[in-house]
Amino acid sequence: MNKEYIYGARDVDTGKLVSDITNPRRKYWDRRGNAQSAIDDYNEHAGDPRYNKNRGKYRQVELVVFELVEVQTT
């Protein structure tokens, strides 16, 4: 059985998941490379107000990996 993963972004300081680094509706990625690219781009431009709509929030984000496990419901 193959393991399935999804990838997200987490604020380094608070440990909370963030969902507004690319699109407000984009919370998770199904490919690690896409997630890492979005995180790297966000971290590179985090202090630039032209790229950051939340100008007061200059946070660093990191990649977080979730392993998906199917749960049987009754």
Side-chain angles (χ1 to χ4, degrees):
M1 184 173 202
N2 291 338
K3 292 185 178 184
E4 298 285 330
Y5 301 100
I6 59 173
Y7 306 91
R10 177 174 46 208
D11 186 317
V12 173
D13 294 329
T14 65
K16 293 182 179 181
L17 296 176
V18 295
S19 63
D20 58 349
I21 65 172
T22 57
N23 179 332
R25 288 180 271 170
R26 169 70 71 180
K27 293 183 180 6
Y28 305 104
W29 292 265
D30 57 350
R31 295 182 181 163
R32 183 184 191 104
N34 292 350
Q36 190 65 58
S37 177
I39 289 168
D40 291 343
D41 189 51
Y42 179 84
N43 285 337
E44 180 180 339
H45 299 294
D48 190 342
R50 294 177 295 164
Y51 293 93
N52 190 354
K53 66 179 181 176
N54 301 322
R55 295 180 182 186
K57 297 180 182 177
Y58 302 132
R59 61 184 179 218
Q60 290 285 63
V61 295
E62 64 184 357
L63 181 71
V64 60
V65 181
F66 296 98
E67 182 178 344
L68 300 178
V69 178
E70 184 176 356
V71 178
Q72 298 294 329
T73 60
T74 56

